[in-house]
Amino acid sequence: MNLVGATICDGEQPPQGEARDIQLPNTEHVSQISVDVGGSLAKVVYFSRLAGTKGGRLNFRKFETEKIDECIAFISRLLDESRASRPGHEFLIKATGGGAHLYYDKFRDALKVTIEREDEMECLITGLNFLITEIPYEVFTYSEINPMCFEETPADPFPYMLVNIGSGVSILKVTSATTFERISGTSLGGGTLWGLLSLLTGAKTFDEMLEASQEGDNKNVDMLVGDIYGSDYSKIGLKSTTIASSMGKVFKKNVDKRQFRSEDISRSLLYMVSNNIGQIAYLNAQAHGLDRIYFGGCFIRGHPITMNTLSYAINFWSKGTKKALFLRHEGYLGAVGAFMKHRSSRRNSRSFSLTEHLAQKLAATELADLEVTLSDDTLDVVAAEESD
């Protein structure tokens, strides 16, 4: 896969809730489709040709995991279209996430292609490294004053911390392209918010819940510092609007519980979960001496309130020394990583996969053999491109 000229398709509006495609103007054919099946959502990454051009693009789709048959039917249609354009070509599904094991037989029996399972955490890191190093205007910071401030591609992206927020939360410390460890996590994640709001509001989907939160006012539900002190508690740096107790006003006696609006409850619980994740992220970053904190996972979905809450938490607790970083394809890290795990993709990548491959060889290569090693890899890539 040739990544020269890769760009995000900003000129087109994607379907609501979906990520923008990534244009690959110098890639003609890709043989794999990847799927990352989590506890709540299944994410699909696939390549499509652009009519009348040499290249194509990476496309992104997601499905609720409880409707996994819809996901399988969608992939089946993609395979049928690919077989029609490339008869006799062998196609492959790269699968990751817990559902790659739970639904393995269902995928295999329905799609009649080879299903290769990849480690979930490895795919997350591979996907994030690819997006950080290869895709311009992918990483950004967020604040109410400056909603989307894009980051320059770092000369050395390591070390960093990934906070992946799916149904639950995993926190990973990454020190190289292939070295990482899970250092923490919490069960209070996107699934928690989704579950509580399903019980307490009439919203049916996570997107409906996020939309409702934008219309809500949490001070109607939460107990604030001002509700206790009547003003700021300036001696310890707490504003009157600081949340003292999430949902703290609900328990009061002689209050008709029906007066609490779904929108206010949605806002309150979104703050509760996001603030909790933000503080846990900061504490882990502080303990491990990490300043760059990437937030990924479908919990975020580019939602302003969520990103602002996470950014505020990191900035507040670190006193501005650490930075919350977001991605435009935050929910597809695992699926992108699985996609890049295919051998031909890894060998043909312009810099990410190839430099990782070369780094492993050069680590065991004497300086005198450097030119031969580089020449060998160049020949390998040409051969791989010709055979794909």
Side-chain angles (χ1 to χ4, degrees):
M1 193 165 69
N2 189 333
L3 301 176
V4 174
T7 57
I8 296 175
C9 299
D10 281 320
E12 304 172 11
Q13 188 65 33
Q16 185 176 7
E18 297 292 352
R20 294 181 185 273
D21 295 344
I22 294 177
Q23 188 166 343
L24 302 173
N26 295 291
T27 297
E28 295 187 44
H29 300 292
V30 177
S31 302
Q32 75 274 18
I33 297 169
S34 67
V35 58
D36 174 13
V37 187
S40 302
L41 295 170
K43 289 77 67 178
V44 179
V45 173
Y46 62 99
F47 179 83
S48 64
R49 292 292 308 278
L50 287 177
T53 69
K54 175 186 176 182
R57 59 177 59 183
L58 284 184
N59 305 269
F60 305 86
R61 285 289 302 273
K62 65 177 181 292
F63 303 84
E64 292 182 17
T65 301
E66 66 177 20
K67 300 176 182 177
I68 195 65
D69 289 336
E70 292 182 9
C71 176
I72 293 174
F74 177 77
I75 295 174
S76 181
R77 289 195 297 272
L78 293 178
L79 289 171
D80 289 342
E81 293 170 5
S82 297
R83 292 186 182 109
S85 62
R86 302 186 73 188
H89 194 83
E90 182 178 348
F91 294 93
L92 175 71
I93 303 295
K94 300 293 272 187
T96 189
H101 302 274
L102 183 61
Y103 298 110
Y104 175 79
D105 291 339
K106 181 183 280 283
F107 272 92
R108 183 195 58 197
D109 295 343
L111 300 175
K112 310 297 184 186
V113 295
T114 301
I115 310 290
E116 292 185 357
R117 290 173 286 192
E118 298 288 346
D119 179 76
E120 180 177 2
M121 297 302 164
E122 287 184 7
C123 287
L124 284 173
I125 300 308
T126 299
L128 179 53
N129 288 340
F130 166 75
L131 292 169
I132 290 172
T133 59
E134 297 291 353
I135 307 301
Y137 304 107
E138 172 69 33
V139 180
F140 62 96
T141 56
Y142 186 92
S143 69
E144 289 181 327
I145 297 173
N146 196 348
M148 186 176 273
C149 184
F150 290 107
E151 291 281 299
E152 295 289 334
T153 301
D156 182 4
F158 308 106
Y160 66 76
M161 191 172 82
L162 169 62
V163 183
N164 194 61
I165 314 171
S167 299
V169 182
S170 283
I171 300 178
L172 303 163
K173 175 183 177 181
V174 184
T175 52
S176 78
T178 56
T179 308
F180 65 90
E181 62 176 316
R182 187 181 188 274
I183 55 176
S184 189
T186 173
S187 61
L188 304 182
T192 308
L193 181 64
W194 196 342
L196 288 173
L197 290 179
S198 294
L199 289 172
L200 299 174
T201 73
K204 301 298 182 184
T205 69
F206 195 56
D207 288 323
E208 286 182 20
M209 297 169 189
L210 293 179
E211 289 175 13
S213 70
Q214 296 191 94
E215 304 299 324
D217 188 345
N218 72 297
K219 72 174 182 289
N220 295 325
V221 177
D222 294 339
M223 184 178 293
L224 310 182
V225 168
D227 295 320
I228 301 172
Y229 285 90
S231 63
D232 297 343
Y233 190 173
S234 54
K235 186 174 182 179
I236 58 174
L238 296 178
K239 297 180 180 179
S240 62
T241 54
T242 300
I243 299 171
S245 174
S246 295
M247 304 285 287
K249 289 179 178 174
V250 177
F251 78 94
K252 288 188 174 182
K253 295 180 180 179
N254 302 320
V255 173
D256 184 355
K257 302 299 187 292
R258 291 174 296 182
Q259 76 176 23
F260 297 110
R261 300 191 310 140
S262 294
E263 293 83 356
D264 299 338
I265 293 171
S266 297
R267 185 92 166 210
S268 171
L269 292 181
L270 179 61
Y271 278 151
M272 181 185 74
V273 173
S274 299
N275 276 320
N276 183 65
I277 293 170
Q279 186 167 21
I280 292 172
Y282 160 73
L283 291 171
N284 277 279
Q286 182 73 4
H288 291 269
L290 301 169
D291 294 330
R292 279 180 289 194
I293 307 170
Y294 292 93
F295 287 91
C298 280
F299 172 78
I300 300 171
R301 302 197 188 192
H303 191 245
I305 297 173
T306 305
M307 293 189 293
N308 191 63
T309 304
L310 292 170
S311 292
Y312 180 84
I314 297 299
N315 185 68
F316 176 83
W317 292 110
S318 72
K319 296 181 171 60
T321 63
K322 302 185 188 301
K323 188 182 293 187
L325 299 168
F326 302 97
L327 301 111
R328 299 174 74 181
H329 296 88
E330 77 277 282
Y332 292 89
L333 303 185
V336 169
F339 192 91
M340 298 301 298
K341 286 283 188 178
H342 187 43
R343 182 176 179 273
S344 63
S345 292
R346 294 169 64 80
R347 299 298 294 274
N348 294 346
S349 171
R350 171 173 55 85
S351 60
F352 166 67
S353 297
L354 183 56
T355 51
E356 180 185 334
H357 174 67
L358 281 174
Q360 294 170 353
K361 294 187 76 171
L362 294 179
T365 302
E366 297 294 334
L367 185 61
D369 297 327
L370 178 60
E371 184 176 347
V372 174
T373 300
L374 289 172
S375 176
D376 287 346
D377 273 273
T378 301
L379 291 173
D380 286 347
V381 172
V382 172
E385 288 176 342
E386 291 175 347
S387 64
D388 189 36

